[in-house]
Amino acid sequence: FLSLVAEFCCGVFVILILGKFWFLAVLYLLWLYLDWETPSTGGRRSQWVRGWTVWKYFREYFPIHLIKTSDLNPSYNYLLGFHPHGVLVAGAFGNFCTGPSFKNLFPGLTPYLHIMPIWFSCPFFREYVMSAGMVSASKESVSYVLNNEGGGHASVIVIGGAEESLNAHPGSLTLNILKRKGFIKMALKHGAHLVPVFSFGENELFKQVANPKGSWLRNVQEKLQKKMGFALPLFHARGIFQYSFGLIPYRQPIHTVVGSPIHVKQNLNPTTEEIEQLHALYLQKLRQLFEEHKGNYGIPEHKSLIFE
């Protein structure tokens, strides 16, 4: 979805630079040079963009819901681990970049959704995603958000990343998380409390071409993902006037459940053992959050999360 919008924005830029308005493209390139670090220094959100009416219809289409299980004290900074990635990451965008739900449920906290740095190199597109409250997923960007004195900032990181989108099949509960420990180290270094977030229904929005591990398609996808930085899942869903085939996501409810915070004491130089211990605790709390709420959202009792 992001890649389609980014391609459109890049296409507009190419038309400008090759047309009679080339000077506008040159001016924008100068602006891009001067503004290059903004995605890593808190971005440039616009409440006007975040409040567009179209986002209300976007949330109501599925619909998207945000569920609170515990208070989050705005005196602290938080790192929210979002799971699973899915294809569209609709729950993360709908709840943390649009609408009043997060603000109403967690007053005093400002959410920052971190996405891959590559998206901020695309002309015009970078302005759009920053205006919605998205910032870079670089270490510098996460540190900037979590280093806010007095608290009140919430970094939202899709832990499984682009790689996890290749597992986004309906019914899939496989999370790419066992080797992902950088977010744990960041939480320790900044004393940011960890909060597991599970978005029920995220993997039900699209059907993906079968790509089991070891298949030629999966091998190609993984190689492309390593080279380009983002994955290319082959997905389909419904059309505008029919439900058999198209690229419009299915109307499946999404319930994004925000768990209780794991209190983290600041440790500027955490050891490998300390990182491992906190990572294990995070996995335990994430699994507990899933088990406590899966029955409310249609997950069979015998189904459990798979960590890989």
Side-chain angles (χ1 to χ4, degrees):
F1 177 74
L2 284 178
S3 61
L4 291 175
V5 180
E7 287 174 9
F8 172 78
C9 292
C10 289
V12 171
F13 181 76
V14 170
I15 292 173
L16 276 179
I17 204 167
L18 295 179
K20 59 182 180 179
F21 296 106
W22 59 269
F23 61 93
L24 293 177
V26 173
L27 288 175
Y28 182 80
L29 285 175
L30 176 60
W31 162 257
L32 194 64
Y33 173 77
L34 296 173
D35 194 57
W36 191 255
E37 297 300 323
T38 301
S40 296
T41 54
R44 187 170 47 249
R45 68 181 55 218
S46 165
Q47 292 304 321
W48 175 67
V49 173
R50 289 166 61 88
W52 279 351
T53 302
V54 66
W55 304 136
K56 175 177 179 290
Y57 294 123
F58 171 79
R59 295 190 304 273
E60 291 178 351
Y61 171 81
F62 298 98
I64 296 175
H65 304 280
L66 185 66
I67 292 88
K68 170 183 175 180
T69 64
S70 176
D71 289 332
L72 298 181
N73 188 336
S75 299
Y76 302 104
N77 293 317
Y78 297 88
L79 194 159
L80 278 62
F82 184 91
H83 312 269
H85 184 288
V87 171
L88 191 61
V89 206
F93 180 76
N95 286 311
F96 303 117
C97 295
T98 74
S101 295
F102 187 87
K103 181 179 180 181
N104 292 340
L105 292 176
F106 304 102
L109 283 182
T110 301
Y112 294 82
L113 178 60
H114 295 269
I115 63 175
M116 290 184 296
I118 189 174
W119 297 119
F120 296 99
S121 61
C122 178
F124 303 128
F125 180 73
R126 70 189 295 275
E127 318 304 334
Y128 158 68
V129 293
M130 277 197 291
S131 66
M134 289 180 254
V135 292
S136 172
S138 66
K139 292 181 180 179
E140 296 77 13
S141 178
V142 177
S143 291
Y144 184 92
V145 173
L146 297 181
N147 203 35
N148 187 50
E149 291 187 11
H153 280 189
S155 278
V156 183
I157 302 178
V158 185
I159 304 300
E163 182 183 358
E164 194 173 83
S165 67
L166 300 178
N167 290 328
H169 296 271
S172 173
L173 295 173
T174 300
L175 303 181
N176 291 60
I177 192 172
L178 291 181
K179 295 181 180 179
R180 296 180 181 267
K181 300 171 185 175
F183 74 104
I184 298 291
K185 187 174 182 179
M186 294 299 290
L188 282 165
K189 291 184 71 172
H190 294 281
H193 297 336
L194 281 167
V195 182
V197 178
F198 195 88
S199 196
F200 292 89
E202 200 75 44
N203 283 340
E204 274 53 59
L205 305 186
F206 296 93
K207 292 180 180 178
Q208 192 172 164
V209 175
N211 60 342
K213 288 197 171 184
S215 65
W216 68 269
L217 176 57
R218 185 60 168 259
N219 291 335
V220 170
Q221 289 174 320
E222 289 177 345
K223 288 179 181 178
L224 289 174
Q225 188 266 324
K226 289 179 181 178
K227 288 186 177 181
M228 299 187 300
F230 56 90
L232 292 173
L234 298 180
F235 60 88
H236 62 88
R238 54 162 290 185
I240 298 177
F241 302 110
Q242 44 77 31
Y243 290 83
S244 57
F245 189 82
L247 295 179
I248 298 176
Y250 293 115
R251 297 192 70 176
Q252 296 289 338
I254 298 172
H255 295 87
T256 304
V257 184
V258 181
S260 300
I262 302 169
H263 293 271
V264 177
K265 185 177 180 180
Q266 187 174 23
N267 183 345
L268 296 177
N269 295 293
T271 64
T272 301
E273 183 180 1
E274 290 169 332
I275 293 173
E276 292 284 352
Q277 288 177 349
L278 184 55
H279 186 260
L281 177 59
Y282 179 85
L283 294 184
Q284 176 187 332
K285 294 297 184 180
L286 174 59
R287 188 180 295 280
Q288 181 180 331
L289 177 70
F290 174 81
E291 293 294 331
E292 288 178 355
H293 295 273
K294 68 180 183 181
N296 297 331
Y297 307 116
I299 307 295
E301 183 62 31
H302 67 278
K303 290 277 190 175
S304 295
L305 292 179
I306 300 173
F307 298 145
E308 63 174 30

